[in-house]
Amino acid sequence: MRDRLQILAVAVVLSVMAPAWAGPYEAVFGYVQQMLAQSAKNDTAGMSATLRQLESVPRPARQNVKEARALNKQGLDALRRNDFSSALDAFQQAQQADPADVEVSGNLGYVQLKLGQFKRAEHQLVYTLSLAPERASTWFNLGQVYGAMGEVDKAIGAFANSYRYSQDAPKTRELMMQAALAPENDEVTRTALRRTLQLLGLPQ
């Protein structure tokens, strides 16, 4: 019940940004959860079927593209300064300007992750996947979110998808190997990364 209320709360927020899109959010969340479970079991056939369902969800129309791009640049500049609070503000404004901008959406989820706002980051990154279901960086960030939340199986599913959808698989494998050893990552995240490499049959 609590999870459902959290989903509905996020849907209300999204309804302010994109009234035409907010309705399917609960379905989108369900599809992503299915893909996580299927990915962690190497069920690629099931995952492909669920991906097609996710891709069929209506997406919001582009809106104030130029304004969103300018605000996104402000957010990226703030990130380079490690000013996460200013970055959060800029990305939130950018998403309000253009809810269909996938880069803005992913950046907002990333900065929420960096700020420790894990539930918000989870729902934001799920929204990003509704815009671009095969966006590898979003799956990786979602894996970090689930690792931080102690949900190892979901983290494995997300990390595995970041590799499967990567346009540069060797680079992604190297990133996962480094992250599996990085002391700033918690033990659940490091464990999930090691188990992901095993799942995919990749050297560690």
Side-chain angles (χ1 to χ4, degrees):
M1 181 65 180
R2 183 178 177 183
D3 288 343
R4 180 177 175 82
L5 289 174
Q6 288 173 327
I7 291 170
L8 291 175
V10 173
V12 170
V13 173
L14 291 174
S15 71
V16 175
M17 299 183 297
W21 190 90
Y25 181 81
E26 199 167 345
V28 166
F29 189 85
Y31 294 147
V32 170
Q33 297 306 302
Q34 286 181 47
M35 289 185 70
L36 289 168
Q38 291 161 341
S39 175
K41 296 176 182 177
N42 251 339
D43 179 8
T44 54
M47 195 169 61
S48 294
T50 307
L51 175 64
R52 288 193 294 272
Q53 292 179 295
L54 181 56
E55 289 174 330
S56 71
V57 174
R59 297 170 186 173
R62 300 306 299 264
Q63 296 185 26
N64 300 318
V65 174
K66 187 174 180 179
E67 180 184 355
R69 291 280 88 200
L71 287 162
N72 186 64
K73 184 178 183 303
Q74 291 180 26
L76 291 173
D77 290 342
L79 274 182
R80 294 186 189 98
R81 302 191 305 270
N82 290 324
D83 184 354
F84 297 121
S85 179
S86 295
L88 178 68
D89 184 59
F91 292 139
Q92 285 175 332
Q93 291 183 57
Q95 182 160 266
Q96 289 173 358
D98 186 10
D101 190 314
V102 65
E103 183 183 348
V104 165
S105 182
N107 287 342
L108 178 54
Y110 173 75
V111 78
Q112 288 169 332
L113 164 64
K114 298 300 286 185
L115 287 168
Q117 300 174 359
F118 301 128
K119 264 299 175 185
R120 291 184 181 219
E122 176 193 18
H123 291 298
Q124 181 63 40
L125 293 169
V126 166
Y127 174 72
T128 306
L129 290 172
S130 77
L131 302 176
E134 296 181 69
R135 187 175 173 85
S137 61
T138 300
W139 283 108
F140 189 87
N141 289 338
L142 188 59
Q144 289 185 302
V145 168
Y146 284 127
M149 293 169 64
E151 300 193 56
V152 66
D153 290 336
K154 290 183 180 181
I156 292 168
F159 286 136
N161 279 347
S162 75
Y163 180 83
R164 291 189 180 101
Y165 297 132
S166 175
Q167 296 182 3
D168 189 343
K171 183 177 179 180
T172 301
R173 177 176 64 85
E174 184 65 26
L175 174 64
M176 289 195 296
M177 291 173 64
Q178 292 175 358
L181 299 173
E184 62 267 24
N185 288 328
D186 59 81
E187 182 57 34
V188 174
T189 299
R190 294 197 300 269
T191 298
L193 284 159
R194 290 193 295 268
R195 287 176 56 184
T196 299
L197 292 167
Q198 293 173 355
L199 177 73
L200 297 170
L202 299 173
Q204 299 183 50

